PDB file of all heavy atoms in Angstrom:
ATOM      1  N   SER W 864      20.329 -79.999-122.437  1.00 96.00           N
ATOM      2  CA  SER W 864      19.724 -79.261-121.319  1.00 96.00           C
ATOM      3  C   SER W 864      20.718 -78.712-120.303  1.00 96.00           C
ATOM      4  O   SER W 864      20.315 -78.157-119.283  1.00 96.00           O
ATOM      5  CB  SER W 864      18.725 -80.170-120.609  1.00 96.00           C
ATOM      6  OG  SER W 864      19.418 -81.272-120.052  1.00 96.00           O
ATOM      7  N   SER W 905      11.458 -73.173-119.812  1.00 98.00           N
ATOM      8  CA  SER W 905      12.335 -73.266-118.635  1.00 98.00           C
ATOM      9  C   SER W 905      12.417 -71.952-117.873  1.00 98.00           C
ATOM     10  O   SER W 905      12.415 -70.867-118.472  1.00 98.00           O
ATOM     11  CB  SER W 905      13.738 -73.647-119.117  1.00 98.00           C
ATOM     12  OG  SER W 905      14.696 -73.359-118.125  1.00 98.00           O
ATOM     13  N   SER W 906      12.562 -72.056-116.567  1.00 98.00           N
ATOM     14  CA  SER W 906      12.757 -70.862-115.744  1.00 98.00           C
ATOM     15  C   SER W 906      14.069 -70.151-116.073  1.00 98.00           C
ATOM     16  O   SER W 906      14.246 -68.979-115.729  1.00 98.00           O
ATOM     17  CB  SER W 906      12.726 -71.227-114.262  1.00 98.00           C
ATOM     18  OG  SER W 906      13.673 -72.244-113.997  1.00 98.00           O
ATOM     19  N   TYR W 929      21.540 -71.596-124.149  1.00 98.00           N
ATOM     20  CA  TYR W 929      20.419 -72.507-123.861  1.00 98.00           C
ATOM     21  C   TYR W 929      19.145 -71.709-123.593  1.00 98.00           C
ATOM     22  O   TYR W 929      18.078 -71.998-124.169  1.00 98.00           O
ATOM     23  CB  TYR W 929      20.789 -73.372-122.637  1.00 98.00           C
ATOM     24  CG  TYR W 929      19.620 -74.113-122.032  1.00 98.00           C
ATOM     25  CD1 TYR W 929      19.177 -75.314-122.574  1.00 98.00           C
ATOM     26  CD2 TYR W 929      18.956 -73.607-120.907  1.00 98.00           C
ATOM     27  CE1 TYR W 929      18.106 -75.998-122.022  1.00 98.00           C
ATOM     28  CE2 TYR W 929      17.877 -74.287-120.354  1.00 98.00           C
ATOM     29  CZ  TYR W 929      17.461 -75.477-120.911  1.00 98.00           C
ATOM     30  OH  TYR W 929      16.392 -76.139-120.363  1.00 98.00           O
ATOM     31  N   ASN W 958      13.663 -75.562-111.748  1.00 98.00           N
ATOM     32  CA  ASN W 958      14.534 -76.744-111.643  1.00 98.00           C
ATOM     33  C   ASN W 958      13.789 -77.918-110.998  1.00 98.00           C
ATOM     34  O   ASN W 958      13.172 -77.747-109.954  1.00 98.00           O
ATOM     35  CB  ASN W 958      15.777 -76.419-110.805  1.00 98.00           C
ATOM     36  CG  ASN W 958      16.630 -75.363-111.447  1.00 98.00           C
ATOM     37  OD1 ASN W 958      16.117 -74.324-111.869  1.00 98.00           O
ATOM     38  ND2 ASN W 958      17.915 -75.599-111.532  1.00 98.00           N
ATOM     39  N   LYS W 972      25.039 -83.983-108.472  1.00 98.00           N
ATOM     40  CA  LYS W 972      26.491 -84.023-108.263  1.00 98.00           C
ATOM     41  C   LYS W 972      26.782 -84.059-106.753  1.00 98.00           C
ATOM     42  O   LYS W 972      27.644 -84.796-106.289  1.00 98.00           O
ATOM     43  CB  LYS W 972      27.110 -82.771-108.917  1.00 98.00           C
ATOM     44  CG  LYS W 972      28.612 -82.764-108.954  1.00 98.00           C
ATOM     45  CD  LYS W 972      29.117 -81.612-109.804  1.00 98.00           C
ATOM     46  CE  LYS W 972      30.612 -81.454-109.632  1.00 98.00           C
ATOM     47  NZ  LYS W 972      31.129 -80.292-110.375  1.00 98.00           N
ATOM     48  N   GLY W 991      31.224 -74.898-108.317  1.00 98.00           N
ATOM     49  CA  GLY W 991      31.444 -73.516-108.761  1.00 98.00           C
ATOM     50  C   GLY W 991      30.764 -72.537-107.822  1.00 98.00           C
ATOM     51  O   GLY W 991      31.089 -72.470-106.630  1.00 98.00           O
ATOM     52  N   ARG W 997      18.036 -71.395-106.380  1.00 98.00           N
ATOM     53  CA  ARG W 997      17.110 -72.053-107.284  1.00 98.00           C
ATOM     54  C   ARG W 997      15.846 -72.484-106.540  1.00 98.00           C
ATOM     55  O   ARG W 997      15.877 -72.753-105.347  1.00 98.00           O
ATOM     56  CB  ARG W 997      17.751 -73.306-107.915  1.00 98.00           C
ATOM     57  CG  ARG W 997      18.889 -73.009-108.891  1.00 98.00           C
ATOM     58  CD  ARG W 997      18.371 -72.368-110.169  1.00 98.00           C
ATOM     59  NE  ARG W 997      19.416 -72.135-111.149  1.00 98.00           N
ATOM     60  CZ  ARG W 997      20.162 -71.033-111.216  1.00 98.00           C
ATOM     61  NH1 ARG W 997      19.988 -70.055-110.329  1.00 98.00           N
ATOM     62  NH2 ARG W 997      21.070 -70.892-112.165  1.00 98.00           N
ATOM     63  N   ARG W1058      29.876 -69.928-114.574  1.00 96.00           N
ATOM     64  CA  ARG W1058      29.383 -69.639-115.936  1.00 96.00           C
ATOM     65  C   ARG W1058      29.732 -68.224-116.353  1.00 96.00           C
ATOM     66  O   ARG W1058      29.781 -67.334-115.497  1.00 96.00           O
ATOM     67  CB  ARG W1058      27.865 -69.829-115.961  1.00 96.00           C
ATOM     68  CG  ARG W1058      27.547 -71.298-115.780  1.00 96.00           C
ATOM     69  CD  ARG W1058      26.218 -71.567-115.173  1.00 96.00           C
ATOM     70  NE  ARG W1058      26.169 -73.005-114.862  1.00 96.00           N
ATOM     71  CZ  ARG W1058      25.086 -73.727-114.741  1.00 96.00           C
ATOM     72  NH1 ARG W1058      23.913 -73.155-114.879  1.00 96.00           N
ATOM     73  NH2 ARG W1058      25.152 -75.002-114.476  1.00 96.00           N
ATOM     74  N   GLU W1061      25.825 -65.728-115.153  1.00 96.00           N
ATOM     75  CA  GLU W1061      25.097 -66.566-114.184  1.00 96.00           C
ATOM     76  C   GLU W1061      23.657 -66.089-114.014  1.00 96.00           C
ATOM     77  O   GLU W1061      23.343 -64.908-114.232  1.00 96.00           O
ATOM     78  CB  GLU W1061      25.849 -66.531-112.839  1.00 96.00           C
ATOM     79  CG  GLU W1061      25.207 -67.277-111.667  1.00 96.00           C
ATOM     80  CD  GLU W1061      25.075 -68.810-111.838  1.00 96.00           C
ATOM     81  OE1 GLU W1061      24.178 -69.249-112.586  1.00 96.00           O
ATOM     82  OE2 GLU W1061      25.873 -69.539-111.217  1.00 96.00           O
TER      83      GLU W1061
HETATM   84  N1  GDD L1814      26.003 -78.038-112.905  1.00 77.83           N
HETATM   85  C1  GDD L1814      26.688 -77.437-111.936  1.00 77.83           C
HETATM   86  N2  GDD L1814      27.870 -77.980-111.531  1.00 77.83           N
HETATM   87  N3  GDD L1814      26.188 -76.313-111.389  1.00 77.83           N
HETATM   88  C2  GDD L1814      26.885 -75.734-110.372  1.00 77.83           C
HETATM   89  C3  GDD L1814      28.091 -76.254-109.910  1.00 77.83           C
HETATM   90  C4  GDD L1814      28.619 -77.441-110.517  1.00 77.83           C
HETATM   91  O1  GDD L1814      29.665 -77.957-110.167  1.00 77.83           O
HETATM   92  N4  GDD L1814      28.528 -75.460-108.905  1.00 77.83           N
HETATM   93  C5  GDD L1814      27.635 -74.488-108.742  1.00 77.83           C
HETATM   94  N5  GDD L1814      26.639 -74.638-109.641  1.00 77.83           N
HETATM   95  C6  GDD L1814      25.480 -73.727-109.802  1.00 77.83           C
HETATM   96  C7  GDD L1814      25.292 -73.226-111.219  1.00 77.83           C
HETATM   97  O2  GDD L1814      26.169 -72.125-111.488  1.00 77.83           O
HETATM   98  C8  GDD L1814      23.806 -72.818-111.177  1.00 77.83           C
HETATM   99  O3  GDD L1814      23.680 -71.517-110.680  1.00 77.83           O
HETATM  100  C9  GDD L1814      23.192 -73.798-110.181  1.00 77.83           C
HETATM  101  O4  GDD L1814      24.286 -74.451-109.530  1.00 77.83           O
HETATM  102  C10 GDD L1814      22.304 -74.853-110.807  1.00 77.83           C
HETATM  103  O5  GDD L1814      22.984 -75.452-111.879  1.00 77.83           O
HETATM  104  P1  GDD L1814      22.417 -76.765-112.631  1.00 77.83           P
HETATM  105  O6  GDD L1814      22.101 -77.829-111.654  1.00 77.83           O
HETATM  106  O7  GDD L1814      23.381 -77.093-113.706  1.00 77.83           O
HETATM  107  O8  GDD L1814      21.015 -76.290-113.211  1.00 77.83           O
HETATM  108  P2  GDD L1814      20.590 -74.945-113.968  1.00 77.83           P
HETATM  109  O9  GDD L1814      19.789 -74.117-112.993  1.00 77.83           O
HETATM  110  O10 GDD L1814      21.702 -74.297-114.653  1.00 77.83           O
HETATM  111  O11 GDD L1814      19.609 -75.492-115.104  1.00 77.83           O
HETATM  112  C11 GDD L1814      18.682 -76.559-114.864  1.00 77.83           C
HETATM  113  O12 GDD L1814      17.404 -76.047-114.583  1.00 77.83           O
HETATM  114  C12 GDD L1814      16.774 -75.335-115.653  1.00 77.83           C
HETATM  115  C13 GDD L1814      15.401 -74.851-115.137  1.00 77.83           C
HETATM  116  O13 GDD L1814      15.605 -73.631-114.483  1.00 77.83           O
HETATM  117  C14 GDD L1814      18.668 -77.434-116.115  1.00 77.83           C
HETATM  118  O14 GDD L1814      17.914 -78.602-115.835  1.00 77.83           O
HETATM  119  C15 GDD L1814      18.030 -76.734-117.286  1.00 77.83           C
HETATM  120  O15 GDD L1814      17.913 -77.637-118.378  1.00 77.83           O
HETATM  121  C16 GDD L1814      16.631 -76.255-116.858  1.00 77.83           C
HETATM  122  O16 GDD L1814      15.991 -75.595-117.905  1.00 77.83           O
END
Side-chain angles (χ1 to χ4, degrees):
S864 64
S905 162
S906 55
Y929 166 82
N958 297 48
K972 188 171 170 184
R997 292 290 183 272
R1058 292 153 189 204
E1061 176 64 284

